[in-house]
Amino acid sequence: KAGVTQTPRYLIKTRGQQVTLSCSPISGHRSVSWYQQTPGQGLQFLFEYFSETQRNKGNFPGRFSGRQFSNSRSEMNVSTLELGDSALYLCASSLHLAVLVEQFFGPGTRLTVL
Amino acid sequence: KQEVTQIPAALSVPEGENLVLNCSFTDSAIYNLQWFRQDPGKGLTSLLLIQSSQREQTSGRLNASLDKSSGRSTLYIAASQPGDSATYLCAPVGPNRDDKIIFGKGTRLHILP
């Protein structure tokens, strides 16, 4: 069974641009969660999608948004990029809501904002 | 609001030693707790998931215990190997479906050959 895949793996953008990251969950998993990881703040929850609906959201500005498609694949978008958005963005998939079952993580997308 | 602390932040031990990593959390009303490892620059690998009704969970050389009432979990690694070098994170979850998953900042483990 293929694991969680994320594309692209690396991305370099400049301030003010926008970016879209993609996550393909494990086959059969209906939940996708997104996290931001930085050296200073650690791993922080962004949002979770389950059956195409956002079920939970972390404390991030509205520049961070996401969506989930009918095949459970998910995209995350960040608009008007800031230097502080440089981070490793991880997605995780689970069979059901992440609070209920085990999560499986992808390798991450390393975003650098110049 | 759940707060998670992992002590120590970093640890170096010689190969072959047994070791314990600690995780404490402020809200003991959790649904489950998951331990992960993360290799540098990579995603997280799930190690063990302990349900709130369990006291411990074992997988190979790893044993995780959970004491909900005191807000603590420990990850015991037996006979450590250089391949165990990684950052270990814990994540207590719940108890509500709408609760966010809060991670500790991790313990960076280095096993000396």
Side-chain angles (χ1 to χ4, degrees), chain B residues 22-77:
Chain B
N22 297 293
C23 170
S24 61
F25 43 95
T26 54
D27 187 347
S28 61
I30 64 170
Y31 187 77
N32 63 48
L33 184 144
Q34 197 166 359
W35 280 93
F36 297 87
R37 70 171 276 168
Q38 184 176 30
D39 294 287
K42 298 193 176 177
L44 278 65
T45 301
S46 175
L47 296 173
L48 290 162
L49 173 72
I50 312 179
Q51 300 291 348
S52 61
S53 57
Q54 296 176 309
R55 295 300 299 267
E56 62 180 61
Q57 190 72 260
T58 297
S59 176
R61 294 183 294 108
L62 304 179
N63 176 278
S65 68
L66 175 63
D67 183 345
K68 260 186 57 173
S69 60
S70 66
R72 290 183 190 174
S73 177
T74 62
L75 180 67
Y76 175 83
I77 303 177

Side-chain angles (χ1 to χ4, degrees), chain A residues 35 37 40-41 43 45 56-58 90 96-100 102-103 105-107, chain B residues 31-32 34 36 38 41-44 46 49 93 96-101 103 105:
Chain A
Y35 297 86
Q37 187 176 36
Q41 298 298 318
L43 201 61
F45 171 77
N56 212 338
K57 190 176 189 315
L90 296 164
H96 206 278
L97 291 175
V99 295
L100 299 176
E102 192 175 4
Q103 286 191 94
F105 280 76
Chain B
Y31 187 77
N32 63 48
Q34 197 166 359
F36 297 87
Q38 184 176 30
K42 298 193 176 177
L44 278 65
S46 175
L49 173 72
V93 173
N96 303 306
R97 285 181 169 226
D98 294 336
D99 287 339
K100 302 175 181 54
I101 296 177
F103 282 82
K105 293 206 173 177

Side-chain angles (χ1 to χ4, degrees), chain A residues 19-91:
Chain A
V19 67
T20 299
L21 312 181
S22 179
C23 173
S24 293
I26 292 172
S27 177
H29 284 198
R30 297 166 64 190
S31 170
V32 173
S33 299
W34 287 91
Y35 297 86
Q36 180 196 67
Q37 187 176 36
T38 59
Q41 298 298 318
L43 201 61
Q44 293 184 285
F45 171 77
L46 280 158
F47 29 65
E48 178 181 12
Y49 286 86
F50 179 78
S51 294
E52 301 179 66
T53 302
Q54 186 181 89
R55 292 300 305 260
N56 212 338
K57 190 176 189 315
N59 298 322
F60 279 81
R63 299 184 297 107
F64 292 81
S65 63
R67 59 177 174 168
Q68 186 179 34
F69 302 96
S70 58
N71 62 358
S72 293
R73 190 177 71 84
S74 177
E75 288 182 347
M76 190 193 92
N77 185 75
V78 187
S79 63
T80 320
L81 284 166
E82 301 178 358
L83 295 178
D85 297 333
S86 294
L88 180 66
Y89 290 88
L90 296 164
C91 82

